[in-house]
């Protein structure tokens, strides 16, 4: 591990100033990903700026019945908050499907969004990797790519985003509040993470010096019909091969009024296609519609060899999650392992 300086930020302004004064500085909150990245010799920050004591650890009610979740609220605190469980059960289920209780107790809301891919080659400094070292190539293309992307991949990187929480936040159309040297701004969740394109080293659309301060959730009418389904190699403590956050508002006659569908484990960012969702407004919430939604969402899916199985797996997972959501959803935290 390389030497680095350590400072503790007392205000958001301090943290922004520290990032602006040193482009190699990294923020430390829960540290559940950053410390691993340092131990694996993947990142070499010259300075660690500890933001864990900033006053960003409250979940506040908003006037319109929404919630504002501070960036330092732990994943456990979000998942078990009674308001989240009642009004955003999709978010609670997604968080509880990820990591382990110990990790969820220290991992933060902001950190969850900013965690790096779990591509094996990214964590191996001896392997070419455009995300870790731009211009060196992608070892996963033509290599071992069982866990990699089937949607939106580029010829520079086929990594996937590892977060469960972010998949639910994408479906719930959350807003990411950030603060930086030019002030505050809101980023719609779908615009926060990036596809790899020509710059796989850039995971998100944060500008230099900006930090995530909160996540905002509007009130919604889908809480009664939502489901998070996660498929993975082990029954617990594993990243998703495919996950589906499904939610819908249903009319009295069983027709879909509002459809929300996001996929995890399949792309460089949580995958949501709002145009496809809109095409199914007014359709009956039945098996034929769910199959048609899955076909529409996966029309552009492409395997890389080792992950070809993800396409039929995702198709079945979408149909199953939609079926569960329409029927009122499963209990929190229920997940299925791939056999
Ligand atoms: Fe690196 Fe992305 Fe290729 Fe993995 S998929 S080796 S992260 S460039």
């Amino acid at each position: 591990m390389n030497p680095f300086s350590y400072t503790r930020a007392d205000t958001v302004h301090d943290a922004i100033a520290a990032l602006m004064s040193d482009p190699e500085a990294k923020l430390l909150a829960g540290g559940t990903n950053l410390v691993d990245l340092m131990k694996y010799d993947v990142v070499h920050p010259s300075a660690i700026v500890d933001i864990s004591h900033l006053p960003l650890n409250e979940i506040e009610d908003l006037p319109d019945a929404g919630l504002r979740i501070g960036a330092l609220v732990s994943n456990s605190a979000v998942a078990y908050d009674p308001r989240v469980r009642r009004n955003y059960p999709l978010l609670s289920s997604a968080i509880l499907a990820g990591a382990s209780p110990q990790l969820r107790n220290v991992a933060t809301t902001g950190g969850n969004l900013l965690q790096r891919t779990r591509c094996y080659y990214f964590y191996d400094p001896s392997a070419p990797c455009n995300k870790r070292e731009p211009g060196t190539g992608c070892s996963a293309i033509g290599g071992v790519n069982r866990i990699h992307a089937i949607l939106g991949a580029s010829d520079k990187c086929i990594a996937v985003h590892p977060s469960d929480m972010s998949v639910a936040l994408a479906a719930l159309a959350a807003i990411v509040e950030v603060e930086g040297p030019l002030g505050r701004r809101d980023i719609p969740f779908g615009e926060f993470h990036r596809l790899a394109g020509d710059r796989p080293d850039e995971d998100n659309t944060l500008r230099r010096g900006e930090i995530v301060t909160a996540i905002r959730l509007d009130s919604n009418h889908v809480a009664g019909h939502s489901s998070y389904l996660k498929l993975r190699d082990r029954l617990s403590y594993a990243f998703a091969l495919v996950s589906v956050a499904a939610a819908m508002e249903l009319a009295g006659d069983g027709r879909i009024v509002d459809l929300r569908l996001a996929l995890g484990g399949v792309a460089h960012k949580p995958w949501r296609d709002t145009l496809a969702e809109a095409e199914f407004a007014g359709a009956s919430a039945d098996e034929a519609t769910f199959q048609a939604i899955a076909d529409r969402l996966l029309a552009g899916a492409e395997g890389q060899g080792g992950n070809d199985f993800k396409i039929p797996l995702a198709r079945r997972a979408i149909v199953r999650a939609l079926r569960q959501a329409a029927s009122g959803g499963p209990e929190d935290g229920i997940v299925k392992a791939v056999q």
Side-chain angles (χ1 to χ4, degrees), residues 20-108:
M20 291 305 289
S21 68
D22 181 355
E24 301 303 320
K26 294 279 183 203
L27 301 181
L28 175 74
T32 56
N33 191 206
L34 177 63
V35 174
D36 278 350
L37 290 166
M38 292 171 71
K39 286 180 179 171
Y40 280 104
D41 206 20
V42 175
V43 298
H44 318 99
S46 53
I48 292 291
V49 183
D50 184 348
I51 59 167
S52 61
H53 292 81
L54 297 183
L56 302 173
N57 53 1
E58 298 286 333
I59 302 179
E60 303 164 59
D61 293 311
L62 293 175
D64 66 352
L67 281 184
R68 183 175 185 273
I69 302 169
L72 292 174
V73 179
S74 74
N75 290 181
S76 295
V78 177
Y80 292 116
D81 185 278
R83 294 163 292 182
V84 173
R85 289 177 73 89
R86 183 175 59 247
N87 298 326
Y88 309 95
L90 184 63
L91 178 58
S92 182
S93 293
I95 292 172
L96 294 175
S100 66
Q102 293 90 341
L103 284 167
R104 293 194 295 265
N105 285 343
V106 290
T108 64

Side-chain angles (χ1 to χ4, degrees), residues 198-247:
D198 287 334
R199 290 299 307 270
D201 53 314
E202 292 189 351
D203 290 343
N204 56 59
T205 54
L206 283 177
R207 298 171 188 152
R208 188 170 162 216
E210 284 186 329
I211 74 170
V212 175
T213 52
I215 297 291
R216 219 167 55 236
L217 289 166
D218 287 338
S219 60
N220 68 82
H221 300 285
V222 298
H225 293 287
S226 68
S227 177
Y228 188 73
L229 178 64
K230 178 174 180 177
L231 299 143
R232 49 188 170 177
D233 282 322
R234 289 191 306 267
L235 194 55
S236 69
Y237 194 40
F239 293 95
L241 290 166
V242 172
S243 69
V244 184

Side-chain angles (χ1 to χ4, degrees), residues 117 119-122 128-132 137-141 148 156-159 200:
T117 184
C119 171
Y120 337 103
Y121 301 108
F122 178 69
C129 171
N130 286 325
K131 182 178 280 295
R132 180 173 22 78
C138 172
S139 298
I141 297 175
H148 290 77
K156 303 284 190 299
C157 177
I158 56 171

Side-chain angles (χ1 to χ4, degrees), residues 257-335:
V257 176
D258 182 14
L259 175 66
R260 314 284 190 89
L261 195 58
L263 306 181
V266 297
H268 198 258
K269 60 185 285 187
W271 188 265
R272 186 175 174 205
D273 184 338
T274 52
L275 290 178
E277 291 172 9
E279 288 172 19
F280 292 91
S284 291
D286 57 26
E287 204 68 16
T289 298
F290 301 158
Q291 296 279 357
I293 292 171
D295 288 344
R296 172 71 174 80
L297 216 63
L298 296 169
E302 245 181 289
Q304 301 286 337
N307 67 350
D308 292 350
F309 72 97
K310 280 192 179 187
I311 299 173
L313 185 71
R315 182 170 283 110
R316 293 195 299 273
I318 291 168
V319 172
R320 182 172 184 152
L322 287 167
R323 196 187 298 138
Q324 288 173 335
S327 68
E331 293 301 308
D332 282 356
I334 289 182
V335 292

